[in-house]
Amino acid sequence: MNSSQLFLPVVNHPAAPSFTATAQNKKTRRLLEKVDWGIGQEVCIPQLLKSLTLRRVWNAAQILASFLLSAITKKNIVWGVPPILTIEPTNICNLRCPLCVTGNGSLERANGRMDFATYKRLIDELADRAIYVVLFHQGEPYLNREFNEFVAHAKQRGLYVTTSSNAHYFDPQTAEATVKSGLDTIIISVDGATQESYSHYRVGGSLEKVLAGARNLAAAKKNLQSKTPYIYLQFIVMKHNEHELAAMEKLAETLGVDRFLRKTVQVETFEEAQEWLPAAESFRRYHLTHETFDVKSGGQGACPRPWLTTLVNWDGSVVPCCFDKNGRHLTGDMRAAKNFAAVWESKKYADFRQTLLADRPAIEMCRNCNQGIGLFI
């Protein structure tokens, strides 16, 4: 899953010490990581707090209250706009990851890159009430050449901005531009401590290039005397690489990143579960038997995502959740709509929320969702 977990469980302390801290601080960090603080591990709280205004906090309170009332009454009630915006700069990628719809060729949407005009229109309409912008979905964000301009515009409007990258494009110039854009946090995906292990999943990728990109980004931060972007190294734990966890922690320490994330892998079929899920039960987000698999603690009850978040694909089409990778639950189109409000308040959006409230398991993608529980280890 590529998107927003700002208000979801399983977390890290917002001020967890970096890998350059003392041994005692490292021990403290490990203890704090086990505490449920109610927000995602990939969020930097000090940076997030800088984006809060009275109007943004009031909007978040309104939308949360409307979700809670909807969950109680089983009726679609919406006050305010989503505090979290997930925006797809592009769905094109340079890698061929087997469990990614872009990488494995199962993506049903056309390929393309979002234009700046569409992006600016969305940001400008919602910037006074939204808080958090997630600039990735499917694809490698930096394959959109205007990506740093996307970030800079959102930062000019005072929003918290994060992204996730496979880090193949961070030459010194791009790294410097990234730091200057004002990006708050970046997740760099490194799923192997060796080239063989890394490329087993990140097909077509170069571990050497990724590590060089991470170093370039860290160097650019130092040269520009910038604390941002906070760099989070993410390791998806799978069957072929679970034995490398200690080596990855050491690698993260060597690189001097700000945080090391251990993430569970998402699968769609029983065959994928057999091939990719790690042997250790604690490293899975699923229960796995010899005959089937199912999500732990998921797929039931009301889900806050269609209230707290929205997802705008590169072409302006809007879906309610980042689990809708193929755009099967379209709720509107920014290219055709008068504004985002027209999409957010549309009958299609209302019908989706109502179905979710009445019978969440009837929505196929919801049956593979655990609302953020168990995404990180």
Side-chain angles (χ1 to χ4, degrees):
M1 173 164 154
N2 312 311
S3 95
S4 42
Q5 292 139 11
L6 175 56
F7 297 98
L8 303 176
V10 184
V11 297
N12 197 352
H13 187 269
S18 74
F19 278 94
T20 58
T22 65
Q24 181 59 43
N25 283 342
K26 291 177 187 176
K27 184 177 180 181
T28 302
R29 177 183 61 80
R30 294 292 291 169
L31 290 173
L32 290 170
E33 284 178 349
K34 298 179 181 180
V35 180
D36 185 349
W37 297 88
I39 42 184
Q41 288 196 43
E42 71 278 21
V43 179
C44 179
I45 301 305
Q47 289 299 114
L48 182 66
L49 292 176
K50 294 177 183 179
S51 70
L52 298 184
T53 65
L54 286 176
R55 188 169 188 186
R56 287 171 178 165
V57 171
W58 174 240
N59 174 73
Q62 282 184 302
I63 204 71
L64 183 58
S66 67
F67 161 69
L68 293 174
L69 190 57
S70 297
I72 293 169
T73 64
K74 302 299 180 184
K75 294 182 180 179
N76 174 52
I77 301 168
V78 180
W79 301 322
V81 298
I84 307 170
L85 310 177
T86 299
I87 301 172
E88 181 181 69
T90 182
N91 61 356
I92 301 169
C93 191
N94 54 307
L95 303 183
R96 301 185 302 280
C97 305
L99 298 179
C100 170
V101 295
T102 298
N104 64 25
S106 63
L107 186 67
E108 298 169 2
R109 297 185 284 121
N111 292 330
R113 297 172 175 85
M114 179 174 282
D115 62 83
F116 188 78
T118 299
Y119 173 79
K120 184 177 184 297
R121 179 185 174 206
L122 179 67
I123 293 295
D124 289 350
E125 180 181 346
L126 300 176
D128 61 336
R129 290 162 291 169
I131 299 171
Y132 185 106
V133 179
V134 181
L135 274 179
F136 68 95
H137 180 37
Q138 300 303 304
E140 165 55 41
Y142 284 87
L143 285 175
N144 186 320
R145 295 184 179 181
E146 295 182 295
F147 182 79
N148 283 322
E149 285 73 21
F150 281 23
V151 176
H153 184 69
K155 292 306 300 176
Q156 287 168 7
R157 301 303 303 271
L159 295 161
Y160 178 102
V161 185
T162 188
T163 194
S164 178
S165 173
N166 61 47
H168 278 70
Y169 298 99
F170 288 121
D171 55 41
Q173 294 74 26
T174 303
E176 181 177 324
T178 298
V179 176
K180 288 181 176 179
S181 73
L183 184 68
D184 291 291
T185 52
I186 183 170
I187 296 171
I188 295 179
S189 300
V190 185
D191 306 318
T194 65
Q195 175 61 30
E196 180 181 9
S197 177
Y198 174 79
S199 62
H200 184 76
Y201 182 71
R202 300 284 170 179
V203 178
S206 165
L207 180 59
E208 181 180 357
K209 185 174 289 188
V210 173
L211 299 182
R215 294 188 184 100
N216 287 338
L217 196 54
K221 285 175 58 178
K222 183 177 180 180
N223 293 339
L224 294 168
Q225 298 182 326
S226 175
K227 291 182 179 180
T228 58
Y230 287 86
I231 304 171
Y232 299 160
L233 195 71
Q234 178 175 281
F235 178 64
I236 300 178
V237 184
M238 294 172 273
K239 181 183 289 187
H240 71 280
N241 67 9
E242 60 184 310
H243 66 284
E244 294 184 329
L245 185 54
M248 286 300 303
E249 290 179 335
K250 186 175 182 179
L251 177 61
E253 183 176 355
T254 301
L255 290 172
V257 299
D258 297 285
R259 193 172 296 171
F260 178 57
L261 304 177
R262 310 158 194 83
K263 189 174 184 180
T264 58
V265 66
Q266 179 187 351
V267 295
E268 299 285 348
T269 67
F270 181 58
E271 290 71 26
E272 289 178 348
Q274 288 180 307
E275 181 177 357
W276 295 99
L277 290 186
E281 177 69 23
S282 60
F283 292 167
R284 303 177 192 160
R285 70 175 76 171
Y286 305 93
H287 295 295
L288 177 65
T289 69
H290 292 297
E291 298 178 350
T292 188
F293 75 106
D294 59 277
V295 181
K296 297 177 181 177
S297 306
Q300 303 295 324
C303 173
R305 289 176 184 269
W307 282 261
L308 297 177
T309 76
T310 194
L311 195 158
V312 182
N313 291 316
W314 72 266
D315 60 356
S317 60
V318 182
V319 293
C321 172
C322 61
F323 270 74
D324 190 1
K325 300 171 185 178
N326 276 309
R328 295 172 181 171
H329 299 277
L330 291 177
T331 55
D333 191 327
M334 286 294 295
R335 297 168 300 183
K338 178 181 179 181
N339 50 29
F340 178 78
V343 175
W344 186 241
E345 298 165 5
S346 68
K347 184 177 184 302
K348 287 185 177 180
Y349 231 131
D351 288 347
F352 181 87
R353 295 190 193 99
Q354 191 60 55
T355 300
L356 188 75
L357 292 167
D359 188 10
R360 183 181 166 197
I363 304 172
E364 183 181 2
M365 68 177 181
C366 295
R367 295 197 292 269
N368 194 25
C369 172
N370 47 14
Q371 297 186 54
I373 299 173
L375 297 187
F376 294 95
I377 301 164

